[in-house]
Amino acid sequence: MDWFPLVNSLRIALVSTVIIFFLGIFSAYYISKLPRGVKGALDVFLTMPLVLPPTVVGYILLHIIGPRRMFGSWMLSTFGVKLTMNWWSAIFATAVVIFPLMYRTARSAFESFDETLAYSGKTLGLSNTFIFWRIRIPVCKQGIIAGTVLAFARALGEYGATSMVCGYTPGKTATISTTVYQLWRTNNDELAFKWVMVNIAMSAVVLIAVNMFEKKKTPERIKK
């Protein structure tokens, strides 16, 4: 059994999750401070990939980074880099698809943050950078970790946008999802079932991790 699809899926998911971890946190932090109208408009734009079919996301990306499109052709002619049909091309598609999960979760965590803690830090002469990394992030860490784990899980199972941007080439661009589809298409149900079980096992581990980091609110006991 060739384990390349598993290795490729893991590295794509890890790299894309690291990228959207920082992008999601900083976008959520600064957008949460904007006026309501501006924040609403940006929310619609940034979370659109969450409701769009993944194939539509892949189609839009191909019109941006495709070798015959403006940006894609410029990268190819200037640097000799083709942005599609490589294993790392899937990172673009995966990052776009999972970004809304990280962004929405982080924004909810920041909006529930008690700003009096930040004000208290400022009165003590602490910088905004110190307050952000040493006060705000630790307080909101459970929501941020939950969003990161969910985004990673979604990245592992991404198929639609990934298949359009990087295709399926055994040993080069194959992921678990594209491998399952190709095996099913060629009537290799036995091997496809094995990959399905691998994917289910990995998803179960991720969901258990989400439950571990999920913030649990214990109801206060009513004393008689």
Side-chain angles (χ1 to χ4, degrees):
M1 186 172 177
D2 181 15
W3 292 102
F4 177 82
L6 174 61
V7 175
N8 195 35
S9 295
L10 286 173
R11 65 179 175 180
I12 291 170
L14 284 171
V15 174
S16 57
T17 302
V18 170
I19 292 172
I20 63 96
F21 175 81
F22 293 102
L23 287 178
I25 285 178
F26 288 115
S27 298
Y29 173 69
Y30 288 108
I31 291 176
S32 64
K33 295 181 174 296
L34 294 176
R36 186 174 180 178
V38 178
K39 181 167 62 175
L42 289 174
D43 274 348
V44 171
F45 175 75
L46 293 176
T47 58
M48 188 68 72
L50 192 63
V51 295
L52 286 176
T55 50
V56 173
V57 176
Y59 177 82
I60 294 172
L61 283 173
L62 285 176
H63 275 258
I64 298 174
I65 64 175
R68 295 183 179 180
R69 301 299 172 178
M70 183 178 295
F71 182 70
S73 62
W74 177 77
M75 288 292 294
L76 185 60
S77 61
T78 305
F79 302 102
V81 177
K82 187 179 180 182
L83 299 180
T84 58
M85 300 306 158
N86 303 296
W87 76 264
W88 46 266
S89 302
I91 295 174
F92 300 127
T94 305
V96 171
V97 170
I98 68 175
F99 173 82
L101 288 172
M102 186 67 210
Y103 165 73
R104 298 289 297 188
T105 308
R107 208 197 79 181
S108 297
F110 287 141
E111 288 179 345
S112 63
F113 177 77
D114 186 0
E115 290 295 334
T116 58
L117 296 174
Y119 297 146
S120 299
K122 290 180 180 179
T123 60
L124 295 174
L126 301 178
S127 65
N128 290 329
T129 303
F130 183 92
I131 293 172
F132 180 81
W133 289 109
R134 302 300 296 272
I135 298 177
R136 194 180 299 271
I137 292 295
V139 171
C140 301
K141 68 178 180 180
Q142 289 179 310
I144 292 173
I145 292 174
T148 304
V149 176
L150 283 172
F152 178 76
R154 179 66 182 84
L156 282 175
E158 165 54 30
Y159 170 76
T162 299
S163 61
M164 293 191 70
V165 173
C166 72
Y168 172 80
T169 304
K172 292 184 178 180
T173 66
T175 63
I176 294 177
S177 299
T178 57
T179 299
V180 169
Y181 173 75
Q182 291 297 325
L183 291 172
W184 169 81
R185 192 173 65 85
T186 56
N187 295 319
N188 193 345
D189 286 341
E190 182 179 353
L191 190 54
F193 180 75
K194 290 180 180 179
W195 279 115
V196 168
M197 295 307 296
V198 169
N199 210 343
I200 290 175
M202 294 174 63
S203 299
V205 171
V206 171
L207 290 174
I208 291 172
V210 171
N211 289 332
M212 289 176 59
F213 289 114
E214 187 179 25
K215 186 175 182 180
K216 297 179 180 180
K217 295 182 179 180
T218 305
E220 295 181 358
R221 295 181 179 178
I222 301 176
K223 296 182 180 180
K224 294 184 179 179

